[in-house]
mmCIF file of all heavy atoms in Angstrom:
data_model
loop_
_atom_site.group_PDB
_atom_site.id
_atom_site.type_symbol
_atom_site.label_atom_id
_atom_site.label_comp_id
_atom_site.label_asym_id
_atom_site.label_seq_id
_atom_site.Cartn_x
_atom_site.Cartn_y
_atom_site.Cartn_z
ATOM 1 N N THR A 1 14.129 -0.252 10.216
ATOM 2 C CA THR A 1 15.192 0.726 9.929
ATOM 3 C C THR A 1 14.614 1.837 8.953
ATOM 4 O O THR A 1 13.719 1.629 8.250
ATOM 5 C CB THR A 1 16.347 -0.027 9.222
ATOM 6 O OG1 THR A 1 17.256 0.943 8.889
ATOM 7 C CG2 THR A 1 15.961 -0.803 8.077
ATOM 8 N N SER A 2 15.343 3.052 8.943
ATOM 9 C CA SER A 2 14.939 3.982 8.054
ATOM 10 C C SER A 2 15.274 3.671 6.704
ATOM 11 O O SER A 2 14.784 4.295 5.705
ATOM 12 C CB SER A 2 15.630 5.285 8.478
ATOM 13 O OG SER A 2 16.989 5.169 8.298
ATOM 14 N N ARG A 3 15.928 2.635 6.437
ATOM 15 C CA ARG A 3 16.326 2.196 4.920
ATOM 16 C C ARG A 3 15.061 1.603 4.261
ATOM 17 O O ARG A 3 15.151 1.469 3.056
ATOM 18 C CB ARG A 3 17.407 1.174 5.108
ATOM 19 C CG ARG A 3 18.748 1.749 5.443
ATOM 20 C CD ARG A 3 19.846 0.737 5.627
ATOM 21 N NE ARG A 3 19.887 -0.300 4.609
ATOM 22 C CZ ARG A 3 20.864 -0.423 3.752
ATOM 23 N NH1 ARG A 3 22.016 0.217 3.839
ATOM 24 N NH2 ARG A 3 20.839 -1.387 2.800
ATOM 25 N N VAL A 4 14.117 1.363 4.900
ATOM 26 C CA VAL A 4 12.886 0.731 4.175
ATOM 27 C C VAL A 4 11.758 1.789 4.178
ATOM 28 O O VAL A 4 10.638 1.513 3.956
ATOM 29 C CB VAL A 4 12.376 -0.566 4.894
ATOM 30 C CG1 VAL A 4 13.305 -1.666 4.689
ATOM 31 C CG2 VAL A 4 11.997 -0.371 6.435
ATOM 32 N N ARG A 5 12.133 3.012 4.622
ATOM 33 C CA ARG A 5 11.098 3.990 4.606
ATOM 34 C C ARG A 5 11.271 4.901 3.342
ATOM 35 O O ARG A 5 12.351 4.888 2.688
ATOM 36 C CB ARG A 5 11.344 4.963 5.854
ATOM 37 C CG ARG A 5 11.006 4.110 7.149
ATOM 38 C CD ARG A 5 10.986 5.034 8.357
ATOM 39 N NE ARG A 5 11.003 4.210 9.485
ATOM 40 C CZ ARG A 5 9.976 3.699 10.116
ATOM 41 N NH1 ARG A 5 8.711 3.854 9.520
ATOM 42 N NH2 ARG A 5 9.893 2.961 11.125
ATOM 43 N N PRO A 6 10.392 5.478 2.900
ATOM 44 C CA PRO A 6 8.982 5.689 3.645
ATOM 45 C C PRO A 6 8.005 4.571 3.426
ATOM 46 O O PRO A 6 8.023 3.907 2.239
ATOM 47 C CB PRO A 6 8.361 6.969 3.000
ATOM 48 C CG PRO A 6 9.072 6.958 1.589
ATOM 49 C CD PRO A 6 10.262 6.365 1.668
ATOM 50 N N TRP A 7 7.331 4.117 4.426
ATOM 51 C CA TRP A 7 6.403 2.951 4.299
ATOM 52 C C TRP A 7 5.220 3.502 3.333
ATOM 53 O O TRP A 7 4.921 4.719 3.361
ATOM 54 C CB TRP A 7 5.814 2.593 5.712
ATOM 55 C CG TRP A 7 6.730 2.156 6.626
ATOM 56 C CD1 TRP A 7 7.386 2.789 7.505
ATOM 57 C CD2 TRP A 7 7.127 0.641 6.712
ATOM 58 N NE1 TRP A 7 8.224 2.062 8.258
ATOM 59 C CE2 TRP A 7 8.052 0.673 7.770
ATOM 60 C CE3 TRP A 7 6.827 -0.411 6.111
ATOM 61 C CZ2 TRP A 7 8.657 -0.545 8.172
ATOM 62 C CZ3 TRP A 7 7.293 -1.542 6.459
ATOM 63 C CH2 TRP A 7 8.225 -1.653 7.491
ATOM 64 N N ASN A 8 4.697 2.677 2.489
ATOM 65 C CA ASN A 8 3.730 3.073 1.587
ATOM 66 C C ASN A 8 2.472 2.267 1.992
ATOM 67 O O ASN A 8 2.272 1.019 1.693
ATOM 68 C CB ASN A 8 4.082 2.788 0.182
ATOM 69 C CG ASN A 8 2.960 3.123 -0.782
ATOM 70 O OD1 ASN A 8 1.941 3.669 -0.390
ATOM 71 N ND2 ASN A 8 3.261 2.948 -2.108
ATOM 72 N N TYR A 9 1.519 2.889 2.570
ATOM 73 C CA TYR A 9 0.339 2.291 2.999
ATOM 74 C C TYR A 9 -0.941 2.785 2.121
ATOM 75 O O TYR A 9 -2.073 2.563 2.354
ATOM 76 C CB TYR A 9 -0.146 2.625 4.294
ATOM 77 C CG TYR A 9 0.734 2.052 5.451
ATOM 78 C CD1 TYR A 9 1.762 2.896 6.117
ATOM 79 C CD2 TYR A 9 0.781 0.769 5.744
ATOM 80 C CE1 TYR A 9 2.616 2.385 7.120
ATOM 81 C CE2 TYR A 9 1.549 0.255 6.666
ATOM 82 C CZ TYR A 9 2.566 1.107 7.400
ATOM 83 O OH TYR A 9 3.366 0.501 8.315
ATOM 84 N N ALA A 10 -0.564 3.220 0.872
ATOM 85 C CA ALA A 10 -1.556 3.863 0.109
ATOM 86 C C ALA A 10 -2.679 2.992 -0.208
ATOM 87 O O ALA A 10 -3.842 3.437 -0.215
ATOM 88 C CB ALA A 10 -0.842 4.252 -1.255
ATOM 89 N N PRO A 11 -2.607 1.614 -0.455
ATOM 90 C CA PRO A 11 -3.865 0.833 -0.656
ATOM 91 C C PRO A 11 -4.679 0.696 0.597
ATOM 92 O O PRO A 11 -5.857 0.390 0.337
ATOM 93 C CB PRO A 11 -3.327 -0.540 -1.202
ATOM 94 C CG PRO A 11 -1.813 -0.257 -1.504
ATOM 95 C CD PRO A 11 -1.405 0.952 -0.655
ATOM 96 N N TYR A 12 -4.073 0.968 1.758
ATOM 97 C CA TYR A 12 -4.802 0.738 3.027
ATOM 98 C C TYR A 12 -5.061 2.042 3.767
ATOM 99 O O TYR A 12 -5.439 1.798 4.945
ATOM 100 C CB TYR A 12 -4.234 -0.251 3.763
ATOM 101 C CG TYR A 12 -3.885 -1.615 2.927
ATOM 102 C CD1 TYR A 12 -2.657 -1.807 2.477
ATOM 103 C CD2 TYR A 12 -4.983 -2.367 2.673
ATOM 104 C CE1 TYR A 12 -2.450 -2.874 1.793
ATOM 105 C CE2 TYR A 12 -4.729 -3.526 1.949
ATOM 106 C CZ TYR A 12 -3.465 -3.784 1.356
ATOM 107 O OH TYR A 12 -3.320 -4.907 0.669
ATOM 108 N N GLU A 13 -4.805 3.191 3.214
ATOM 109 C CA GLU A 13 -5.045 4.372 4.022
ATOM 110 C C GLU A 13 -6.415 4.485 4.589
ATOM 111 O O GLU A 13 -7.414 4.234 3.974
ATOM 112 C CB GLU A 13 -4.657 5.641 3.236
ATOM 113 C CG GLU A 13 -3.168 5.718 2.964
ATOM 114 C CD GLU A 13 -2.918 7.009 2.032
ATOM 115 O OE1 GLU A 13 -3.785 7.778 1.759
ATOM 116 O OE2 GLU A 13 -1.740 7.140 1.683
ATOM 117 N N ASN A 14 -6.489 4.940 5.913
ATOM 118 C CA ASN A 14 -7.744 5.083 6.644
ATOM 119 C C ASN A 14 -8.591 3.790 6.750
ATOM 120 O O ASN A 14 -9.835 3.846 6.810
ATOM 121 C CB ASN A 14 -8.553 6.123 5.971
ATOM 122 C CG ASN A 14 -7.884 7.515 6.049
ATOM 123 O OD1 ASN A 14 -7.315 7.896 6.998
ATOM 124 N ND2 ASN A 14 -7.912 8.238 4.868
ATOM 125 N N GLN A 15 -7.954 2.599 6.755
ATOM 126 C CA GLN A 15 -8.607 1.374 6.958
ATOM 127 C C GLN A 15 -7.605 0.325 7.436
ATOM 128 O O GLN A 15 -6.340 0.456 7.386
ATOM 129 C CB GLN A 15 -9.323 0.961 5.672
ATOM 130 C CG GLN A 15 -8.307 0.664 4.540
ATOM 131 C CD GLN A 15 -8.979 0.192 3.293
ATOM 132 O OE1 GLN A 15 -9.959 -0.634 3.344
ATOM 133 N NE2 GLN A 15 -8.433 0.543 2.097
ATOM 134 N N TYR A 16 -8.113 -0.762 7.985
ATOM 135 C CA TYR A 16 -7.101 -1.813 8.435
ATOM 136 C C TYR A 16 -6.893 -2.758 7.196
ATOM 137 O O TYR A 16 -7.814 -2.850 6.295
ATOM 138 C CB TYR A 16 -7.744 -2.541 9.606
ATOM 139 C CG TYR A 16 -9.040 -3.247 9.356
ATOM 140 C CD1 TYR A 16 -9.028 -4.584 8.928
ATOM 141 C CD2 TYR A 16 -10.274 -2.671 9.580
ATOM 142 C CE1 TYR A 16 -10.174 -5.270 8.753
ATOM 143 C CE2 TYR A 16 -11.338 -3.198 9.193
ATOM 144 C CZ TYR A 16 -11.464 -4.588 8.877
ATOM 145 O OH TYR A 16 -12.658 -5.241 8.708
ATOM 146 N N VAL A 17 -5.877 -3.432 7.325
ATOM 147 C CA VAL A 17 -5.495 -4.467 6.219
ATOM 148 C C VAL A 17 -6.282 -5.573 6.545
ATOM 149 O O VAL A 17 -6.400 -6.197 7.575
ATOM 150 C CB VAL A 17 -3.973 -4.757 6.240
ATOM 151 C CG1 VAL A 17 -3.759 -5.872 5.125
ATOM 152 C CG2 VAL A 17 -3.198 -3.463 5.992
ATOM 153 N N ASN A 18 -7.102 -6.008 5.480
ATOM 154 C CA ASN A 18 -8.087 -7.236 5.594
ATOM 155 C C ASN A 18 -7.711 -8.140 4.364
ATOM 156 O O ASN A 18 -8.013 -7.785 3.289
ATOM 157 C CB ASN A 18 -9.481 -6.754 5.590
ATOM 158 C CG ASN A 18 -10.360 -7.908 5.856
ATOM 159 O OD1 ASN A 18 -10.050 -9.109 5.727
ATOM 160 N ND2 ASN A 18 -11.752 -7.684 5.908
ATOM 161 N N VAL A 19 -7.123 -9.311 4.611
ATOM 162 C CA VAL A 19 -6.979 -10.228 3.610
ATOM 163 C C VAL A 19 -8.019 -11.230 3.373
ATOM 164 O O VAL A 19 -7.958 -12.147 2.606
ATOM 165 C CB VAL A 19 -5.571 -10.915 3.790
ATOM 166 C CG1 VAL A 19 -4.463 -9.823 3.748
ATOM 167 C CG2 VAL A 19 -5.449 -11.723 5.029
ATOM 168 N N ALA A 20 -9.124 -11.035 4.163
ATOM 169 C CA ALA A 20 -10.209 -12.093 3.959
ATOM 170 C C ALA A 20 -10.674 -12.209 2.620
ATOM 171 O O ALA A 20 -10.885 -13.394 2.205
ATOM 172 C CB ALA A 20 -11.331 -11.799 5.091
ATOM 173 N N GLU A 21 -10.934 -11.102 2.025
ATOM 174 C CA GLU A 21 -11.622 -11.298 0.711
ATOM 175 C C GLU A 21 -10.541 -11.940 -0.274
ATOM 176 O O GLU A 21 -11.025 -12.710 -1.179
ATOM 177 C CB GLU A 21 -11.881 -9.860 0.212
ATOM 178 C CG GLU A 21 -13.166 -9.199 0.963
ATOM 179 C CD GLU A 21 -13.467 -7.851 0.481
ATOM 180 O OE1 GLU A 21 -13.067 -7.491 -0.598
ATOM 181 O OE2 GLU A 21 -14.196 -7.148 1.169
ATOM 182 N N THR A 22 -9.377 -11.609 -0.259
ATOM 183 C CA THR A 22 -8.358 -12.236 -1.140
ATOM 184 C C THR A 22 -8.214 -13.761 -0.882
ATOM 185 O O THR A 22 -8.269 -14.534 -1.760
ATOM 186 C CB THR A 22 -6.981 -11.564 -0.853
ATOM 187 O OG1 THR A 22 -7.028 -10.206 -1.111
ATOM 188 C CG2 THR A 22 -5.862 -12.123 -1.764
ATOM 189 N N PHE A 23 -8.371 -13.981 0.326
ATOM 190 C CA PHE A 23 -8.290 -15.447 0.699
ATOM 191 C C PHE A 23 -9.616 -16.138 0.160
ATOM 192 O O PHE A 23 -9.525 -17.235 -0.265
ATOM 193 C CB PHE A 23 -8.248 -15.643 2.395
ATOM 194 C CG PHE A 23 -8.320 -17.118 2.920
ATOM 195 C CD1 PHE A 23 -7.158 -17.839 2.771
ATOM 196 C CD2 PHE A 23 -9.503 -17.679 3.094
ATOM 197 C CE1 PHE A 23 -7.382 -19.245 3.213
ATOM 198 C CE2 PHE A 23 -9.645 -18.977 3.586
ATOM 199 C CZ PHE A 23 -8.478 -19.731 3.571
ATOM 200 N N ALA A 24 -10.714 -15.549 0.348
ATOM 201 C CA ALA A 24 -11.936 -16.101 -0.105
ATOM 202 C C ALA A 24 -11.995 -16.304 -1.537
ATOM 203 O O ALA A 24 -12.396 -17.393 -2.058
ATOM 204 C CB ALA A 24 -13.118 -15.311 0.306
ATOM 205 N N ARG A 25 -11.417 -15.443 -2.368
ATOM 206 C CA ARG A 25 -11.388 -15.627 -3.814
ATOM 207 C C ARG A 25 -10.324 -16.698 -4.146
ATOM 208 O O ARG A 25 -10.734 -17.353 -5.252
ATOM 209 C CB ARG A 25 -10.741 -14.192 -4.436
ATOM 210 C CG ARG A 25 -11.890 -13.129 -4.506
ATOM 211 C CD ARG A 25 -11.360 -11.978 -5.395
ATOM 212 N NE ARG A 25 -10.107 -11.420 -5.072
ATOM 213 C CZ ARG A 25 -9.946 -10.502 -4.143
ATOM 214 N NH1 ARG A 25 -11.045 -9.936 -3.636
ATOM 215 N NH2 ARG A 25 -8.774 -9.893 -3.911
ATOM 216 N N GLY A 26 -9.346 -16.950 -3.499
ATOM 217 C CA GLY A 26 -8.477 -18.023 -3.725
ATOM 218 C C GLY A 26 -8.773 -19.416 -3.174
ATOM 219 O O GLY A 26 -8.120 -20.383 -3.404
ATOM 220 N N HIS A 27 -9.876 -19.438 -2.410
ATOM 221 C CA HIS A 27 -10.121 -20.762 -1.755
ATOM 222 C C HIS A 27 -11.387 -21.265 -2.445
ATOM 223 O O HIS A 27 -12.504 -20.873 -2.230
ATOM 224 C CB HIS A 27 -10.416 -20.493 -0.289
ATOM 225 C CG HIS A 27 -10.377 -21.825 0.532
ATOM 226 N ND1 HIS A 27 -9.298 -22.237 1.090
ATOM 227 C CD2 HIS A 27 -11.317 -22.633 0.847
ATOM 228 C CE1 HIS A 27 -9.456 -23.445 1.652
ATOM 229 N NE2 HIS A 27 -10.752 -23.674 1.506
ATOM 230 N N ASP A 28 -11.214 -22.387 -3.137
ATOM 231 C CA ASP A 28 -12.368 -23.136 -3.704
ATOM 232 C C ASP A 28 -12.079 -24.731 -3.562
ATOM 233 O O ASP A 28 -11.115 -25.087 -3.011
ATOM 234 C CB ASP A 28 -12.513 -22.679 -5.188
ATOM 235 C CG ASP A 28 -11.368 -23.027 -6.017
ATOM 236 O OD1 ASP A 28 -10.582 -23.986 -5.784
ATOM 237 O OD2 ASP A 28 -11.169 -22.205 -7.091
ATOM 238 N N ALA A 29 -12.937 -25.363 -4.109
ATOM 239 C CA ALA A 29 -12.833 -26.815 -3.912
ATOM 240 C C ALA A 29 -11.552 -27.448 -4.508
ATOM 241 O O ALA A 29 -11.091 -28.521 -4.116
ATOM 242 C CB ALA A 29 -14.130 -27.556 -4.626
ATOM 243 N N LYS A 30 -10.988 -26.775 -5.451
ATOM 244 C CA LYS A 30 -9.760 -27.190 -6.063
ATOM 245 C C LYS A 30 -8.385 -26.842 -5.231
ATOM 246 O O LYS A 30 -7.329 -27.310 -5.604
ATOM 247 C CB LYS A 30 -9.524 -26.690 -7.517
ATOM 248 C CG LYS A 30 -10.580 -27.149 -8.430
ATOM 249 C CD LYS A 30 -10.591 -26.568 -9.770
ATOM 250 C CE LYS A 30 -11.801 -26.772 -10.492
ATOM 251 N NZ LYS A 30 -11.823 -26.081 -11.794
ATOM 252 N N SER A 31 -8.663 -25.948 -4.314
ATOM 253 C CA SER A 31 -7.430 -25.445 -3.636
ATOM 254 C C SER A 31 -7.129 -26.256 -2.383
ATOM 255 O O SER A 31 -7.674 -27.382 -2.297
ATOM 256 C CB SER A 31 -7.727 -23.989 -3.167
ATOM 257 O OG SER A 31 -8.721 -23.825 -2.184
ATOM 258 N N VAL A 32 -6.318 -25.816 -1.531
ATOM 259 C CA VAL A 32 -5.910 -26.539 -0.444
ATOM 260 C C VAL A 32 -7.130 -26.882 0.351
ATOM 261 O O VAL A 32 -8.015 -26.076 0.594
ATOM 262 C CB VAL A 32 -4.909 -25.671 0.485
ATOM 263 C CG1 VAL A 32 -4.637 -26.289 1.833
ATOM 264 C CG2 VAL A 32 -3.577 -25.273 -0.229
ATOM 265 N N PRO A 33 -7.270 -28.161 0.749
ATOM 266 C CA PRO A 33 -8.449 -28.728 1.305
ATOM 267 C C PRO A 33 -8.735 -28.140 2.718
ATOM 268 O O PRO A 33 -9.969 -28.382 3.148
ATOM 269 C CB PRO A 33 -8.475 -30.110 1.207
ATOM 270 C CG PRO A 33 -6.952 -30.445 1.248
ATOM 271 C CD PRO A 33 -6.329 -29.331 0.536
ATOM 272 N N ALA A 34 -7.797 -27.579 3.405
ATOM 273 C CA ALA A 34 -8.096 -27.231 4.851
ATOM 274 C C ALA A 34 -7.238 -25.979 5.115
ATOM 275 O O ALA A 34 -6.122 -25.869 4.549
ATOM 276 C CB ALA A 34 -7.870 -28.403 5.772
ATOM 277 N N CYS A 35 -7.646 -25.270 6.079
ATOM 278 C CA CYS A 35 -6.950 -24.071 6.473
ATOM 279 C C CYS A 35 -7.182 -23.813 7.979
ATOM 280 O O CYS A 35 -8.376 -23.887 8.429
ATOM 281 C CB CYS A 35 -7.280 -22.815 5.737
ATOM 282 S SG CYS A 35 -6.352 -21.395 6.197
ATOM 283 N N LEU A 36 -6.096 -23.684 8.736
ATOM 284 C CA LEU A 36 -6.426 -23.272 10.124
ATOM 285 C C LEU A 36 -5.897 -21.889 10.342
ATOM 286 O O LEU A 36 -4.831 -21.284 9.914
ATOM 287 C CB LEU A 36 -5.288 -24.081 11.030
ATOM 288 C CG LEU A 36 -5.120 -23.806 12.468
ATOM 289 C CD1 LEU A 36 -6.442 -23.964 13.229
ATOM 290 C CD2 LEU A 36 -3.981 -24.478 13.185
ATOM 291 N N CYS A 37 -6.896 -21.059 10.777
ATOM 292 C CA CYS A 37 -6.853 -19.652 10.953
ATOM 293 C C CYS A 37 -6.590 -19.357 12.552
ATOM 294 O O CYS A 37 -7.463 -19.526 13.257
ATOM 295 C CB CYS A 37 -8.064 -18.939 10.628
ATOM 296 S SG CYS A 37 -8.052 -17.152 10.921
ATOM 297 N N GLY A 38 -5.348 -19.041 12.833
ATOM 298 C CA GLY A 38 -5.007 -18.800 14.251
ATOM 299 C C GLY A 38 -4.807 -17.252 14.436
ATOM 300 O O GLY A 38 -4.076 -16.628 13.715
ATOM 301 N N GLN A 39 -5.569 -16.695 15.441
ATOM 302 C CA GLN A 39 -5.423 -15.275 15.731
ATOM 303 C C GLN A 39 -5.767 -14.962 17.069
ATOM 304 O O GLN A 39 -6.334 -15.778 17.892
ATOM 305 C CB GLN A 39 -6.253 -14.514 14.669
ATOM 306 C CG GLN A 39 -7.795 -14.661 14.807
ATOM 307 C CD GLN A 39 -8.465 -13.955 13.764
ATOM 308 O OE1 GLN A 39 -8.324 -14.354 12.600
ATOM 309 N NE2 GLN A 39 -9.205 -12.961 14.158
#
């Protein structure tokens, strides 16, 4: 809806959104022991 506009893509302008690095930083031996990535 226009009620959620304007969209703000400032952190990702001219690039695709990639959460892999965020995931990698949060995944260590103390975290969830397993993860299924479906895509």
